[in-house]
Amino acid sequence: MKRRMNNFFKKDGKSFVLAMDHAAMMPSPDLKDPGHVIREAVAGGADGFLTTYGIIKAFQNDFGNAGIIMRADGGISALRKPMNPLSLLYTPEDAVRVGADAMLCMGYPGSTDNEHTLEYLANLCAEAEKLNIPVGAEMLPYGFEKHEGIDTRSVENMSFACRQGAELGADFIKAEFVGGERFREVVDGCYAPILVLGGGKAKSEEEIFANIRGALDAGAKGIIMGRNIYRHENIAAVCAAIAAIVHDDATVDEAMKMLK
């Protein structure tokens, strides 16, 4: 299993993963040419990709030596309001068949889908272990639900969610960067490496780089980021700048200079 993890976690124990799984659930016009995005990201230094069964099958030649993490759950559509709960769609055998190095699914502790997502996360971890396939868990307390009087993204809630993902068997965690320097509490409370997610559209490249720098300084082992990269007019350049932050300890100013 460690060998497969090494395809997207490098020798420094850190990873820069480009997320390209959005079009399986929502309209994603910026992903109309996945091959172009993949090639540009590889040229810029992305370590791996979080993507779909379909993209992995169709663009094998474009990934080169980059690691591939396959989205395991889904089955929902933004066309349906409200959307149904997620379902586990693919098995570890499916991942092996298309050449993925790992799988990833959601975990929504505290949400109305609490038992549903946590159960299939645990089942996926157990089944994937049989084939030495690492599993990542995207742990989001309360999912995307809003609850009056509850800070769903508090450091305490995020810390519990990440630790729960590790306890259920996840080999690495995808989580939201919360609390600034206090994110160190989330990291210290979880024995699986944490990669922070990119989230919605950032205001500027400087904001993107500052969030990445802050997460790494607080103990994160890297990032899994999508829209703020593949929407950029120069995907290769922004990937090179992010790779420098993740692997070469570049500052925000140094990363900004790489774009100019």
Side-chain angles (χ1 to χ4, degrees), residues 40-234:
E40 288 291 296
V42 168
D47 300 315
F49 296 84
L50 167 61
T51 191
T52 63
Y53 188 82
I55 285 180
I56 297 170
K57 284 204 311 177
F59 297 94
Q60 292 275 331
N61 293 335
D62 295 306
F63 287 109
N65 293 323
I68 301 174
I69 305 168
M70 189 175 85
R71 167 66 69 177
D73 54 355
I76 61 174
S77 169
L79 297 180
R80 189 184 194 282
K81 308 291 185 182
M83 289 192 286
N84 281 334
L86 292 158
S87 297
L88 193 63
L89 302 179
Y90 301 104
T91 67
E93 288 82 2
D94 297 324
V96 170
R97 188 178 303 113
V98 294
D101 299 297
M103 303 178 79
L104 182 141
C105 70
M106 308 298 291
Y108 290 162
S111 73
T112 55
D113 295 329
N114 180 95
E115 290 81 6
H116 176 64
T117 60
L118 298 182
E119 181 177 347
Y120 74 56
L121 166 60
N123 288 337
L124 179 63
C125 291
E127 290 301 309
E129 188 80 17
K130 297 175 183 177
L131 294 176
N132 291 319
I133 299 291
V135 172
E138 184 168 350
M139 300 303 294
L140 300 179
Y142 297 93
F144 294 96
E145 298 171 1
K146 303 296 182 184
H147 293 266
E148 187 175 353
I150 298 176
D151 179 5
T152 61
R153 295 296 189 265
S154 69
V155 170
E156 292 76 15
N157 285 337
M158 189 63 68
S159 182
F160 169 70
C162 291
R163 177 58 180 264
Q164 188 173 32
E167 295 292 334
L168 293 176
D171 301 288
F172 62 98
I173 304 293
K174 179 183 178 185
E176 192 168 336
F177 177 45
V178 299
E181 293 180 0
R182 286 195 65 202
F183 192 73
R184 172 67 66 175
E185 298 173 33
V186 180
V187 173
D188 288 346
C190 182
Y191 49 79
I194 297 177
L195 304 178
V196 296
L197 56 84
K201 186 176 182 180
K203 295 177 182 178
S204 66
E205 291 100 339
E206 188 172 11
E207 181 183 10
I208 295 169
F209 298 157
N211 284 338
I212 296 170
R213 184 70 269 162
L216 292 168
D217 289 344
K221 294 300 184 182
I223 65 161
I224 300 181
M225 181 178 288
R227 286 168 286 186
N228 284 313
I229 296 174
Y230 62 68
R231 287 173 175 169
H232 198 275
E233 61 183 8
N234 192 333

Side-chain angles (χ1 to χ4, degrees), residues 205-206 209-210 213 241 245 249-260:
E205 291 100 339
E206 188 172 11
F209 298 157
R213 184 70 269 162
I245 297 173
D249 205 28
T251 65
V252 173
D253 288 342
E254 288 169 340
M256 288 298 296
K257 289 177 182 177
M258 294 178 67
L259 293 182
K260 299 177 181 179

